[in-house]
Amino acid sequence: MHGDPLTAPDLWQYLLTVACAQRASDIHLEPTSTGLCCRLRIDGVLSQPAAVSAVAAAVDLGTREALCAHIKVYAGMDIAQKRLPQDGRFNFVDNAAHTWDCRVSTLPTVHGEKLVARLLSQQQTDWDLTDLGYSPDQLQHLLEALASPNGLILMTGPTGCGKTRSLHSCLRRLNADSVNICAVEDPVEMRIAGIQQVQINEKAGLTFVAALRAFLRQDPDIIMVGEIRDDLTATVSAQAAQTGHLVLSTLHTNDAPSALLRLTHMGLAPLHIRSSVRLVTAQRLVRRLCPLCKETITPTYEQSTRLARSGFPTGKRLSIARGCEACVHGYLGRIGIFQVLPITKRIGDALTQNADTEAIAAIASAQGLKTLLQSGLQLLEDGITSYDELARHVQL
């Protein structure tokens, strides 16, 4: 960008245009002592593309304040409130006539308000379960659980691992005129026609538990709870799963067996977990190598040693990508790696005997179920991702 300094509206429009063109999921506007730093999260990694860093570096304090106020007006937030965090949202249309949903969050810092805008293309919300990266056997286990008339299906993993996308893909698979689906989320990220979606409003008393209890009076067939955050939500969700409803939700745990232990820490008896939980999945999102600049290399001694300990085929070459105009540092898009744990009779018996996560994981392994590492190694062997990218998400 050259010429006269950009006004706040022009600057925001420029940042949105660049972010959409580079497939960014988030825009981070971070105040500094002298101005503004801008970073984009692309394929799960924050970076400072030259197209935005140079423009942000030229923003003075006055323009930064004007930019923040402009975005807050767009998102329906209070421009006079600068001492407390705020949330808002708005829609916009890009140069390709695609509609985007933008969720905005502000946070007071020592240098001013930091602003993060999450971007979601409404043209990219019709994912199917077959597009997410499940192996055929993992997908079969998941589909069998979704076909159950009742029970609890849990999806676990850290923030940003794609749990919401997986949940909504399941809901799209289940959505039909013959079923009543109710969903409570915080926030509602993707709007799906035919599903009754409720936004949490804790200030007004509309919590996950309050919504769940209201759902049970709405003749539901399927219930989706955006996240199980506390003991009461876990209890009501399990009760709903035991009384003729299919319930889908998420937990923050590192792997699938840990989710079962987490439920016991939330006060659920092992017998209730066994009778309510149908299946648990854990997941991560790893970056795909760019097919245009991908090439194979011989792994280093350290890489070979670590991979051999993990069961990777000896002598197998690895793939890397050098980077080109079509990608970001050699990567283009992301794909999921999954651990799918159906609650079989053996696992249920182990639960009622107070087995720990290692014992449950051993039973799952004996039944041929893949761990997150094994799923990732398959992508590595197929040349879909790189050693370094896989090592960012699982321990090799």
Side-chain angles (χ1 to χ4, degrees):
M1 301 290 292
H2 302 285
D4 297 333
L6 289 173
T7 63
D10 290 339
L11 177 57
W12 180 230
Q13 186 61 48
Y14 174 73
L15 293 176
L16 284 176
T17 300
V18 173
C20 293
Q22 300 208 13
R23 302 176 296 103
S25 62
D26 300 85
I27 304 173
H28 287 241
L29 299 178
E30 302 163 343
T32 66
S33 58
T34 57
L36 181 69
C37 173
C38 180
R39 296 189 289 174
L40 303 181
R41 188 175 294 279
I42 303 172
D43 292 336
V45 178
L46 280 173
S47 62
Q48 288 183 275
V52 298
S53 60
V55 173
V59 173
D60 57 24
L61 293 176
T63 304
R64 186 188 80 194
E65 293 301 312
L67 174 63
C68 187
H70 174 74
I71 297 171
K72 288 166 75 173
V73 169
Y74 245 66
M77 297 151 70
D78 183 359
I79 62 172
Q81 177 57 266
K82 300 182 180 181
R83 295 180 296 176
L84 294 174
Q86 293 190 71
D87 296 293
R89 71 189 305 161
F90 64 91
N91 293 331
F92 69 95
V93 179
D94 66 12
N95 293 337
H98 292 158
T99 301
W100 294 75
D101 181 59
C102 183
R103 281 188 10 234
V104 181
S105 172
T106 64
L107 179 70
T109 73
V110 293
H111 293 305
E113 288 186 284
K114 177 184 176 180
L115 187 146
V116 176
R118 170 153 293 186
L119 307 176
L120 178 67
S121 172
Q122 295 186 7
Q123 279 70 37
Q124 298 175 349
T125 58
D126 56 345
W127 304 288
D128 188 76
L129 286 173
T130 57
D131 301 326
L132 302 184
Y134 289 97
S135 67
D137 56 326
Q138 290 174 335
L139 182 60
Q140 183 61 33
H141 286 307
L142 178 55
L143 291 177
E144 288 174 359
L146 291 173
S148 302
N150 55 61
L152 179 59
I153 298 174
L154 292 172
M155 298 187 170
T156 73
T159 301
C161 71
K163 298 188 298 296
T164 300
R165 178 180 295 190
S166 294
L167 270 182
H168 283 80
S169 297
C170 289
L171 291 182
R172 289 182 183 280
R173 177 64 67 102
L174 295 168
N175 195 9
D177 292 339
S178 59
V179 294
N180 177 22
I181 303 178
C182 298
V184 55
E185 304 169 73
D186 185 24
V188 176
E189 294 189 31
M190 310 169 193
R191 297 174 183 178
I192 305 175
I195 295 178
Q196 310 308 310
Q197 295 173 275
V198 175
Q199 167 73 53
I200 286 299
N201 186 346
E202 293 190 355
K203 290 182 179 179
L206 183 54
T207 62
F208 280 112
V209 172
L212 263 171
R213 287 174 171 164
F215 287 169
L216 294 175
R217 297 189 292 271
Q218 291 282 314
D219 186 30
D221 299 293
I222 299 166
I223 296 172
M224 194 272 269
V225 183
E227 181 183 347
I228 295 178
R229 296 177 178 175
D230 52 50
D231 301 5
L232 194 52
T233 306
T235 299
V236 178
S237 297
Q239 289 172 347
Q242 291 175 308
T243 54
H245 307 94
L246 184 64
V247 182
L248 290 76
S249 190
T250 70
L251 273 176
H252 283 90
T253 61
N254 289 327
D255 57 22
S258 298
L260 302 175
L261 182 62
R262 176 77 185 281
L263 290 176
T264 64
H265 291 166
M266 287 182 163
L268 290 183
L271 186 61
H272 290 163
I273 297 173
R274 176 181 182 173
S275 60
S276 60
V277 179
R278 293 282 184 211
L279 177 136
V280 182
T281 73
Q283 65 184 80
R284 303 289 189 275
L285 285 176
V286 298
R287 290 181 292 175
R288 293 175 181 264
L289 288 168
C290 175
L292 299 180
C293 57
K294 181 171 67 174
E295 59 185 63
T296 59
I297 61 168
T298 301
T300 65
Y301 175 78
E302 179 184 359
Q303 290 174 337
S304 297
T305 302
R306 290 189 175 185
L307 289 171
R309 289 199 302 262
S310 303
F312 193 74
T314 303
K316 180 75 175 180
R317 288 170 65 84
L318 301 178
S319 295
I320 63 169
R322 301 296 183 183
C324 63
E325 293 183 357
C327 65
V328 179
H329 307 304
Y331 296 97
L332 189 63
R334 291 190 289 174
I335 188 172
I337 57 174
F338 298 90
Q339 178 186 29
V340 177
L341 180 69
I343 309 305
T344 61
K345 183 179 184 303
R346 285 189 60 192
I347 291 176
D349 291 342
L351 272 173
T352 56
Q353 296 168 11
N354 296 314
D356 58 18
T357 55
E358 289 77 12
I360 293 173
I363 295 172
S365 178
Q367 294 178 337
L369 302 175
K370 291 182 179 179
T371 63
L372 283 168
L373 173 58
Q374 290 169 332
S375 295
L377 289 175
Q378 186 62 58
L379 293 184
L380 192 63
E381 186 175 352
D382 294 340
I384 295 174
T385 193
S386 69
Y387 175 92
D388 290 340
E389 177 63 11
L390 184 59
R392 285 202 317 120
H393 297 277
V394 296
Q395 185 173 358
L396 293 172

